[in-house]
């Protein structure tokens, strides 16, 4: 993908420029320059100081959480983690433009959206340590969050599963006459899955009030975007399916907020899908199992660090007189201590009794699951050292 700084008013892409080889050139919505100044032609969204500070603090919280949990994985305290460093504006800015009744269907790098809705450090830690306090009884991998109270659908590992599910769920919202949308997050790599095409076509044909939010962060694990597709990103696919489409600078939190606010308005009023492609960059590794030095250069990473969404937003807030530097430093230090405290507490909480593993699927566990549970208990008794009694160090 080219690194563009095109400007567009908040709205739908309906005119594109045909360039060489018959390809299209799609403009990108941007409000803030990388240094935090406002583009002369840009329109600021209608957003107040308290909301801006909540967005900033959520972005800072997630960066601190990511740093702590990557370190915890390296220490052997959890098995796996996915950081969203560099993509905080995409996830937090979009979540801030939603309403509490809107359903969020996540891929696995949207912890910022969940934190914005009120997921606590304790809840994050209970999930990642799979202990008995975890909302899903410790049955998921780390970072596979879910919260019924916060309208955040539990994450699945396979890529793209949530895309057709979002079309179906939003169709149900439409049939029920709800004033709500579903937002579905995924990366540009997941847009190569068949579920993407099925989900978008279904939503377009049935006029489902769903926002498809693609985080185009440049890489599908180690595969760069130019090796994934020949067209102009993911936005062009939305146009192909007849879906209203917006491309936005994913490192510009004000632009992301404005784009999502507009997308929600269109989805509600016109009862139709909208695709947002957020152009961003994954500064972190794909996961704690990945080494990005094998497929990208330090120079490339440093160029994108100059577009850091956190620093860009802080500079704008400072220019508005909305950022109290001392208070912000105190918030960061207190948050760092809170995260570490909850981590230490969560790793000492016991895991759920093994008997619960066959519950909540059928009203009464059938015979074959009961038989499998007997076999599992025998296996654990044979290899007790491999199955700790708590969710602590692995």
């Amino acid at each position: 993908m080219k690194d563009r700084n095109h400007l567009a008013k908040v709205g739908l892409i309906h005119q594109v420029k045909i360039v060489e080889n018959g390809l299209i050139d799609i403009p990108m919505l941007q409000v803030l320059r990388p240094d935090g100044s406002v583009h002369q032609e840009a329109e600021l969204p209608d957003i107040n100081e308290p909301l801006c500070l909540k967005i900033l603090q959520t972005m800072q919280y997630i960066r601190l959480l990511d740093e702590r949990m990557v370190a915890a994985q390296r220490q052997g305290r959890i098995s796996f983690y996915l950081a969203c460093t560099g993509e905080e504006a995409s996830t937090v800015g979009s979540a801030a433009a939603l309403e509490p009744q809107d359903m969020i269907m996540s891929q696995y790098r949207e912890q910022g959206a969940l934190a914005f809705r009120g997921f606590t450090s304790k809840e994050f830690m209970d999930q990642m340590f799979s202990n008995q306090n975890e909302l899903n009884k410790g049955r998921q991998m780390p970072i596979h969050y879910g919260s019924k109270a916060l309208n955040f659908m539990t994450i699945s590992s396979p890529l793209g599963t949530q895309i057709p599910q979002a079309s179906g769920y939003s169709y149900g919202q439409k049939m029920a006459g709800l004033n709500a949308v579903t937002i579905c997050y995924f990366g540009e790599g997941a847009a190569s899955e068949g579920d993407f095409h099925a989900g978008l076509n279904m939503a377009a044909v049935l006029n489902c009030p769903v926002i498809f939010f693609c985080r185009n962060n440049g890489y599908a694990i180690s595969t760069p975007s130019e090796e994934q597709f020949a067209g102009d990103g993911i936005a062009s696919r939305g146009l192909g399916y007849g879906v209203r489409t917006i491309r936005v600078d994913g490192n510009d939190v004000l632009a992301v907020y404005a784009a999502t606010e507009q997308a929600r308005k269109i989805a509600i009023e016109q009862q139709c899908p909208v695709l947002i492609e957020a152009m961003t960059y994954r500064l972190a590794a794909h996961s704690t199992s990945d080494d990005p030095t094998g497929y990208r250069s330090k120079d490339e990473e440093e160029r994108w660090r100059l577009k850091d969404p956190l620093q860009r937003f802080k500079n704008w807030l400072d220019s508005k007189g909305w950022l109290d530097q001392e208070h912000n430093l105190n918030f960061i230090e207190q948050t760092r201590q809170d995260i570490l405290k909850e981590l230490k507490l969560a790793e000492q909480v016991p895991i759920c009794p093994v008997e619960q593993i066959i519950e909540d699927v059928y009203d009464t566990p059938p015979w074959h699951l009961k038989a499998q549970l007997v076999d599992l208990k025998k296996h654990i008794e044979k290899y007790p050292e491999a199955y700790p009694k708590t969710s602590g160090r692995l």
Side-chain angles (χ1 to χ4, degrees):
M1 292 299 302
K2 298 178 182 177
D3 181 16
R4 302 187 192 87
N5 285 318
H6 291 265
L7 292 175
K9 291 185 180 295
V10 183
L12 305 176
I13 295 170
H14 59 278
Q15 293 181 342
V16 296
K17 180 182 178 182
I18 305 298
V19 295
E20 59 180 316
N21 299 323
L23 300 178
I24 61 175
D25 185 46
I26 298 175
M28 180 176 71
L29 171 67
Q30 191 177 70
V31 175
L32 298 179
R33 296 186 179 93
D35 64 1
S37 60
V38 180
H39 276 286
Q40 186 176 359
E41 301 174 42
E43 294 182 4
L44 287 169
D46 184 13
I47 190 168
N48 57 41
E49 180 179 353
L51 179 55
C52 283
L53 293 178
K54 180 179 179 181
I55 290 172
L56 174 67
Q57 290 183 348
T58 304
M59 292 169 67
Q60 291 175 322
Y61 171 80
I62 289 302
R63 188 159 293 190
L64 293 169
L65 179 71
D66 284 354
E67 291 173 358
R68 180 64 265 172
M69 298 319 296
V70 168
Q73 192 278 334
R74 298 300 189 232
Q75 295 165 345
R77 299 164 91 167
I78 62 172
S79 60
F80 182 74
Y81 193 76
L82 283 152
C84 67
T85 310
E87 301 181 58
E88 297 93 345
S90 294
T91 57
V92 179
S94 53
L98 302 174
E99 296 296 331
Q101 68 268 27
D102 296 334
M103 174 58 71
I104 295 177
M105 293 195 179
S106 172
Q107 183 168 309
Y108 44 54
R109 215 180 295 277
E110 288 81 31
Q111 49 263 49
L114 189 54
F116 186 86
R117 287 204 165 173
F119 211 63
T120 66
S121 294
K122 179 182 183 303
E123 289 172 314
F124 275 115
M125 295 303 167
D126 286 340
Q127 197 286 324
M128 284 183 278
F129 283 97
S130 300
N131 65 36
Q132 66 183 14
N133 293 333
E134 201 267 320
L135 296 175
N136 288 313
K137 298 184 178 180
R139 295 169 176 170
Q140 293 277 9
M141 287 176 60
I143 66 87
H144 286 53
Y145 312 107
S147 173
K148 184 176 181 180
L150 298 178
N151 283 324
F152 192 97
M153 189 70 71
T154 301
I155 295 169
S156 298
S157 289
L159 282 183
T161 56
Q162 73 279 15
I163 302 175
Q165 291 168 1
S167 297
Y169 194 92
S170 63
Y171 186 71
Q173 291 172 317
K174 175 180 179 177
M175 292 296 96
L178 302 178
N179 180 35
V181 302
T182 294
I183 188 168
C184 177
Y185 293 99
F186 53 93
E188 89 287 348
S192 296
E193 295 286 333
D195 285 341
F196 169 85
H197 301 281
L200 258 70
N201 191 57
M202 174 183 173
V205 171
L206 296 179
N207 293 311
C208 304
V210 54
I211 301 171
F212 297 108
F213 194 102
C214 175
R215 295 176 291 93
N216 188 336
N217 64 17
Y219 289 90
I221 307 183
S222 60
T223 305
S225 57
E226 59 265 23
E227 294 181 17
Q228 297 177 51
F229 42 76
D232 187 5
I234 307 304
S236 58
R237 303 183 195 181
L239 299 175
Y241 278 112
V243 174
R244 292 154 177 82
T245 301
I246 304 171
R247 172 174 284 167
V248 64
D249 182 346
N251 284 20
D252 178 355
V253 72
L254 293 183
V256 171
Y257 176 87
T260 310
E261 184 180 49
Q262 180 76 350
R264 186 183 189 277
K265 182 175 186 292
I266 293 166
I268 289 288
E269 292 181 357
Q270 300 182 31
Q271 290 293 287
C272 68
V274 181
L275 171 66
I276 297 175
E277 182 182 23
M279 311 306 293
T280 183
Y281 189 81
R282 169 171 56 79
L283 285 172
H286 171 75
S287 72
T288 49
S289 302
D290 173 47
D291 178 11
T293 63
Y295 55 84
R296 69 188 190 194
S297 68
K298 289 294 182 183
D299 287 343
E300 178 182 298
E301 292 180 10
E302 288 306 314
R303 288 197 301 271
W304 277 93
R305 289 188 192 280
L306 297 176
K307 303 176 184 180
D308 179 20
L310 252 172
Q311 190 59 51
R312 183 187 298 198
F313 191 42
K314 284 175 65 178
N315 288 349
W316 179 76
L317 288 171
D318 195 38
S319 71
K320 294 276 290 182
W322 289 357
L323 184 61
D324 184 326
Q325 297 288 357
E326 182 178 356
H327 181 272
N328 189 56
L329 289 174
N330 289 337
F331 167 80
I332 290 172
E333 182 55 32
Q334 183 58 49
T335 299
R336 183 178 285 112
Q337 293 178 13
D338 177 62
I339 290 171
L340 182 57
K341 180 192 73 173
E342 294 298 341
L343 184 154
K344 291 179 178 179
L345 291 173
E347 67 181 342
Q348 300 303 321
V349 177
I351 60 175
C352 290
V354 69
E355 289 78 13
Q356 291 187 2
I357 201 169
I358 64 172
E359 295 178 358
D360 304 321
V361 178
Y362 300 93
D363 181 45
T364 301
W367 68 268
H368 66 283
L369 290 185
K370 291 180 180 179
Q372 290 175 30
L373 178 60
V374 171
D375 291 341
L376 175 61
K377 287 183 174 181
K378 291 179 180 179
H379 177 78
I380 293 173
E381 289 175 2
K382 186 175 181 180
Y383 304 101
E385 69 282 355
Y387 298 91
K389 297 296 183 182
T390 71
S391 57
R393 290 174 174 77
L394 302 177

